Amino acid sequence: MSKDWIEVAKADDIPDEGTLLVDCAGEPVCLYKISDGIFATHDTCSHGMASLADGFIVEGNQIECPLHQGTFDVRNGKAVGIPCKVDVRSYPVKVENGAVFIKES
Ligand code: FES
């Protein structure tokens, strides 16, 4: 069953090359703004209880976890740097009239 798009933020609220923690239907979701666009993953690192929104964008398209410096590709949630081995959930994103929507799928 497909689900509706949910408005979670204004695009301008996300800093360039930065992150924004939002709530999506009770789930913590991290938004990222990089040169490729705006992306979203679950906010909790798959390695431990760390908020990816507190991390740092590195290599242009990766989020570095603030706790043990594991990394994920923000475009698809793939774990790309140790100690992270399990992907984080990625969400489809669309931007309309300056508003950011994500879809639970
Ligand atoms: Fe994120 Fe360990 S909690 S790398």
Side-chain angles (χ1 to χ4, degrees):
M1 187 175 91
S2 68
K3 302 202 175 176
D4 292 334
W5 292 94
I6 300 171
E7 182 176 349
V8 292
K10 300 297 182 194
D12 287 347
D13 292 340
I14 313 168
D16 290 340
E17 305 300 317
T19 65
L20 180 69
L21 175 62
V22 298
D23 177 279
C24 180
E27 290 292 316
V29 171
C30 185
L31 301 178
Y32 310 91
K33 186 186 286 180
I34 61 174
S35 60
D36 288 350
I38 294 173
F39 299 90
T41 71
H42 198 281
D43 183 60
T44 306
C45 181
S46 62
H47 182 251
M49 290 305 293
S51 169
L52 295 178
D54 291 335
F56 303 94
I57 300 290
V58 296
E59 305 291 335
N61 59 15
Q62 297 174 19
I63 184 70
E64 182 183 85
C65 177
L67 196 51
H68 306 114
Q69 291 73 53
T71 51
F72 302 90
D73 188 326
V74 305
R75 300 168 298 182
N76 52 28
K78 295 282 184 198
V80 292
I82 57 170
C84 300
K85 295 179 179 166
V86 178
D87 301 344
V88 288
R89 182 178 175 186
S90 180
Y91 299 82
V93 173
K94 70 176 181 179
V95 180
E96 287 183 354
N97 299 321
V100 180
F101 296 80
I102 65 176
K103 190 174 192 177
E104 286 210 302
S105 56

